[in-house]
Amino acid sequence: AARRLVPFHLRPASARPLAAVAAAPHSRKRDAVSCKSTGKTRAKNKAKDTTMWRPQRRELEEHLKRRTRSAGAFDPGLYRRHSHSHHVPVLLGEVLAAFRRPLPLRSFVDCTLGAAGHSLAMMEAHPEMELHVGMDVDPSALEIGQRHIEAFLASRATEEGGEDALQGTLRAYTHVKNFKYIKHVLGGVDESLADGSSGVDGILIDLGMSSMQVNRSDRGFSVLNDGPLDMRMDPK
């Protein structure tokens, strides 16, 4: 059965309880001195931290670029937004270029949703999208992708002024299914998508295993670590 992703509002990260920001009484003179001293120290520490982190940041970006498997120009901002600890979406720039606007993408199917890196980038690049269907045969990977999509929809709902406005523009569904059942899945969402009367604007299939299977020895795919020989995408 299709699972509708219902956006929800997240508490802004900057929000803090009022009790946490209440200042303790102090001497005005002492406060002025400590503020002056703290300001100078912070400035020095900030400059020192920036110098220390630059080489590490470059090293991380080079590592991230290698994982993208892309020969194109590397966009660190794009990958920071859509990569996660679970997975780095490969060839993301090339995928976005293949569906480049002004090509309308009102309906989109990601047959190998995974952590939803490609799907989130497509949603961001195509605000006209009205329907998204995500499929994956690996239920644990689909659960990760589903959480990322929910968070993205919630943030968009907040920016656009309410949940109701967003629900009218983008419907998102996820299915634990092999992509060979795409016609059946689309028919369950909307019959017109499967019978040929409307169809969909775009389909993406990113074939093969991912780091979400290979990096976990208990999944039985890894050749890097000891573990049971399993290799089932769906443990059931």
Side-chain angles (χ1 to χ4, degrees), residues 172-183:
Y173 301 87
T174 59
H175 299 260
V176 182
K177 282 282 188 185
N178 189 301
F179 57 81
K180 67 182 177 181
Y181 298 113
I182 182 172
K183 194 170 183 180

Side-chain angles (χ1 to χ4, degrees), residues 6-221:
V6 181
F8 54 89
H9 290 285
L10 301 176
R11 185 177 184 179
S14 58
R16 289 183 295 171
L18 292 176
V21 295
H26 50 258
S27 162
R28 183 174 297 176
K29 183 178 179 181
R30 185 176 298 170
D31 182 57
V33 173
S34 64
C35 283
K36 186 177 180 183
S37 173
T38 305
K40 288 180 180 177
T41 307
R42 279 181 183 171
K44 286 180 182 177
N45 288 343
K46 188 176 180 181
K48 187 177 179 181
D49 289 347
T50 306
T51 307
M52 286 173 61
W53 278 99
R54 267 183 203 149
Q56 294 181 26
R57 185 172 177 177
R58 274 199 304 271
E59 188 178 336
L60 286 171
E61 287 188 356
E62 286 169 7
H63 174 68
L64 188 59
K65 177 169 171 51
R66 285 195 300 273
R67 292 187 65 186
T68 66
R69 307 292 191 270
S70 174
F74 180 64
D75 184 345
L78 178 69
Y79 273 93
R80 280 196 210 101
R81 290 195 303 277
H82 302 299
S83 298
H84 309 279
S85 58
H86 311 96
H87 185 59
V88 175
V90 298
L91 301 174
L92 186 55
E94 285 85 345
V95 169
L96 290 173
F99 295 96
R100 187 183 291 114
R101 298 179 76 183
L103 179 73
L105 203 69
R106 295 183 182 86
S107 54
F108 179 70
V109 182
D110 190 340
C111 289
T112 48
L113 182 67
H118 289 114
S119 283
L120 293 176
M122 296 295 280
M123 289 178 185
E124 183 182 84
H126 292 272
E128 76 278 10
M129 192 183 295
E130 298 172 357
L131 174 68
H132 173 274
V133 178
M135 302 168 59
D136 204 297
V137 74
D138 185 339
S140 60
L142 188 84
E143 187 180 351
I144 293 168
Q146 187 176 301
R147 287 201 307 267
H148 293 158
I149 291 174
E150 284 176 348
F152 177 81
L153 294 179
S155 66
R156 280 235 330 228
T158 305
E159 290 171 8
E160 294 179 12
E163 215 172 88
D164 295 337
L166 181 65
Q167 286 181 353
T169 57
L170 176 57
R171 294 176 295 143
Y173 301 87
T174 59
H175 299 260
V176 182
K177 282 282 188 185
N178 189 301
F179 57 81
K180 67 182 177 181
Y181 298 113
I182 182 172
K183 194 170 183 180
H184 173 74
V185 168
L186 291 178
V189 174
D190 187 339
E191 288 184 6
S192 65
L193 297 175
D195 64 12
S197 58
S198 66
V200 294
D201 293 332
I203 298 173
L204 174 67
I205 309 178
D206 179 15
L207 299 174
M209 294 184 294
S210 77
S211 54
M212 288 177 288
Q213 286 96 34
V214 178
N215 290 350
R216 287 180 51 185
S217 58
D218 62 311
R219 293 299 304 273
F221 288 91

